Amino acid sequence: MTRALLPDLSPWKASADFRRLWKSGLISNFGSFLTFVALPVQLKDLTGSAAAVGAIGAVELLPLIVCGLYGGALADALDKRKLIVWTEAGQGLLSAALLVDALLPHPAVWPLYAVAALSSALVSVQRPALDSLWPRIVAHDDMPAAASLNSLRWTVGGVAGPALAGVVVAYAGLGWAYTADLLTFAVSLAFIVPIAPSPASHEASRPSLGAVLEGARYAWSRKDLLGTYVVDLAAMFLAMPLAVLPFLADELHADWALGLMYATVPAGAMLVSLTGGWASRIHRHGLMVVLSAAGWGLAVAAAGACGNVWLVLLFLTVGGGFDMVSGIFRAAMWNQTIPDELRGRLAGIELLSYSVGPQLGQVRAGGLAAWAGVRTSVVSGGLACAGAMGLLALCLPGLMTYDARTDEHAVRMRERRAAVPT
């Protein structure tokens, strides 16, 4: 029983490149979460507007869509390792720009939006390359374990980064948070550079609009995949509360708890990841995606309804756990069923599903909070998310009945990988 709860370390033991990417991601995520907290705090201090903070999502949206789709085509057509290295270096330069602006006697607002947009573009190019690389370096049957370990990597940085950022920003200043982020990108690059080259598949198409459309046609033909995209998009758009957390902390007279609030969702996700050995034993992945997304919405609604800061922290943590369960099984479905020659383009579409939602969700949460109040924004979004999951469960029978043991696409990919000499 105890072993069933512990993380499955099979991918870590079997692949040196998995270990390098895991360490790199852990370090860079830690720094990125420092900036994730510092940037909205700086905007709040400079503007005093919830709508201005929510607008971060708006300026990130167009680069995310355009670069995510084209970045997927690039990931299929170019060496994935090179894309990862160069985009990581670019993000380090953007952290340096934030540091310079923060150190000015009178920091400007527009560079914050400019860096947010450019960072969104770089992440949107990098993520398809990263996501399409995992199936090349991890065994087919180890993909649920790899998804759980990758979520653990993300959540460790997500818990430690925001918690530390709240203290650093409050007592040392924004400049120190941006400095730490810059240093983490430098260390991350040192881990990425030794990774083996990962050239394009022989069947891959050249990057073009036609190649992007080819990936979209494949996604459209797979209603189970479409279901995972729609579920995540709806859950994040309707229930993502992060844009209004600085204002919720003000209402609760708990400015000291802001860093903890940002850390709660990753903390809940980390608790799931640390006990993620059970994920490899679950085969009804689609059912788990929908149920856990509904749990996320209900937990967020409960957090918004509470007047006690400790209960708010508790419910946000529970929500983060549900969100991670959904993420683990979405990733397992994607990585176990999509052909290698289409993996980058489908990863670009996946990026939109799990990134556009949070960006639009920030705009929704900030705008509704400015109009109807912070609590109304959070509670109504969470309840709408839970209701939407009920409707999607009725509309997506292919997702609800998906079984990794018998699904034709999963069986085909298992056979393809088994036929490749190791």
Side-chain angles (χ1 to χ4, degrees), residues 70 72-73 98 117-118 127 165 171 178 186 224 245 281 300 310 315 321-322 334 337 352 364 403 411 414:
Y70 193 67
L98 287 175
L118 291 171
R127 285 301 294 267
Y171 296 102
Y178 295 140
D224 52 342
L245 290 185
R281 297 166 178 81
V300 169
W310 294 107
F315 282 118
F322 278 120
W334 299 337
T337 65
L352 299 186
R364 182 209 64 82
D403 191 314
V411 171
R414 187 181 297 115

Side-chain angles (χ1 to χ4, degrees), residues 354-366:
Y354 60 69
S355 298
V356 168
Q359 307 310 323
L360 290 175
Q362 289 191 76
V363 178
R364 182 209 64 82

Side-chain angles (χ1 to χ4, degrees), residues 227-243:
T228 65
Y229 303 152
V230 174
V231 165
D232 193 40
L233 186 66
M236 295 297 101
F237 170 68
L238 293 170
M240 179 58 73
L242 299 184

Side-chain angles (χ1 to χ4, degrees), residues 30-248:
F30 176 80
S32 295
F33 274 108
L34 287 171
T35 295
F36 181 74
V37 173
L39 187 61
V41 168
Q42 187 175 12
L43 267 174
K44 172 181 172 288
D45 291 344
L46 292 175
T47 67
S49 168
V53 176
I56 295 175
V59 302
E60 292 175 336
L61 183 59
L62 182 60
L64 189 153
I65 294 173
V66 174
C67 296
L69 292 174
Y70 193 67
L74 288 175
D76 280 335
L78 302 177
D79 187 298
K80 296 172 176 48
R81 173 189 165 277
K82 290 182 179 178
L83 277 177
I84 295 168
V85 168
W86 285 109
T87 50
E88 192 79 356
Q91 290 179 75
L93 292 177
L94 293 179
S95 294
L98 287 175
L99 174 60
V100 170
D101 183 63
L103 295 177
L104 293 175
H106 302 286
V109 170
W110 70 263
L112 306 183
Y113 289 116
V115 167
L118 291 171
S119 178
S120 176
L122 288 175
V123 169
S124 300
V125 172
Q126 185 186 75
R127 285 301 294 267
L130 272 171
D131 290 346
S132 60
L133 183 58
W134 297 119
R136 289 191 173 188
I137 62 177
V138 175
H140 180 86
D141 290 338
D142 286 341
M143 290 311 305
S148 183
L149 288 174
N150 281 333
S151 70
L152 177 61
R153 172 204 69 188
W154 178 83
T155 55
V156 168
V159 172
L164 180 61
V167 176
V168 171
V169 171
Y171 296 102
L174 294 162
W176 284 104
Y178 295 140
T179 299
D181 190 17
L182 175 59
L183 293 175
T184 60
F185 278 118
V187 177
S188 173
L189 275 171
F191 282 108
I192 295 175
V193 170
I195 291 173
S198 184
S201 169
H202 293 300
E203 297 87 0
S205 303
R206 297 184 56 153
S208 65
L209 178 59
V212 172
L213 292 176
E214 181 185 5
R217 285 192 294 270
Y218 176 83
W220 183 256
S221 72
R222 293 277 310 278
K223 303 310 181 193
D224 52 342
L225 283 185
L226 283 178
T228 65
Y229 303 152
V230 174
V231 165
D232 193 40
L233 186 66
M236 295 297 101
F237 170 68
L238 293 170
M240 179 58 73
L242 299 184
V244 298
L245 290 185
F247 301 91
L248 182 59

Side-chain angles (χ1 to χ4, degrees), residues 296-318:
W296 151 258
L298 292 174
V300 169
C306 290
N308 181 284
V309 66
W310 294 107
L311 288 176
V312 171
L313 295 172
L314 173 63
F315 282 118
L316 288 176
T317 302
V318 172

